[in-house]
Amino acid sequence: LSEPDERNEWFVDYKQHLQPLFEKYVPKYNTPSLNIVDIGCGVSLLCESLVSDGYGYVTGIDIAESAINLMNQRILNIDKTLQPYLRYIHVCIV
């Protein structure tokens, strides 16, 4: 895997299923200081999609170091105004 895309979304498609739920239950006027954590993010585009839609600060966490490395490289190529709102963290459970 060299790049995340919609085929990596094993649960549901963001635009079709999750975006309408966020729009309904998380009004954007409440979101500037919102902190969202995606546990087990892998190479999902969910974190990036939430940041792009203005849902505050989003952190992706995963035990797969290769996935986190890929996503951290991806941050370098997104809109610079969005970069401060997005981060990915590798965690190790010992």
Side-chain angles (χ1 to χ4, degrees):
L1 180 66
S2 60
E3 185 71 18
D5 62 32
E6 290 79 24
R7 294 173 295 170
N8 300 322
E9 305 299 337
W10 65 269
F11 183 55
V12 292
D13 177 69
Y14 172 75
K15 292 228 181 271
Q16 184 179 0
H17 298 285
L18 297 177
Q19 188 179 40
L21 292 173
F22 270 86
E23 289 173 354
K24 182 175 181 178
Y25 295 109
V26 186
K28 289 197 181 172
Y29 63 83
N30 282 336
T31 61
S33 61
L34 187 63
N35 288 291
I36 298 173
V37 177
D38 181 4
I39 299 171
C41 66
V43 293
S44 170
L45 296 173
L46 176 60
C47 295
E48 189 175 319
S49 297
L50 291 170
V51 168
S52 293
D53 280 353
Y55 286 104
Y57 297 88
V58 183
T59 301
I61 297 174
D62 204 285
I63 62 172
E65 188 173 9
S66 59
I68 296 302
N69 289 340
L70 179 67
M71 298 311 283
N72 278 322
Q73 285 298 312
R74 186 174 169 81
I75 288 176
L76 302 174
N77 297 316
I78 67 170
D79 182 341
K80 295 205 182 307
T81 62
L82 300 178
Q83 290 176 357
Y85 296 94
L86 181 62
R87 68 182 177 158
Y88 292 96
I89 298 173
H90 171 249
V91 294
C92 181
I93 301 171
V94 188

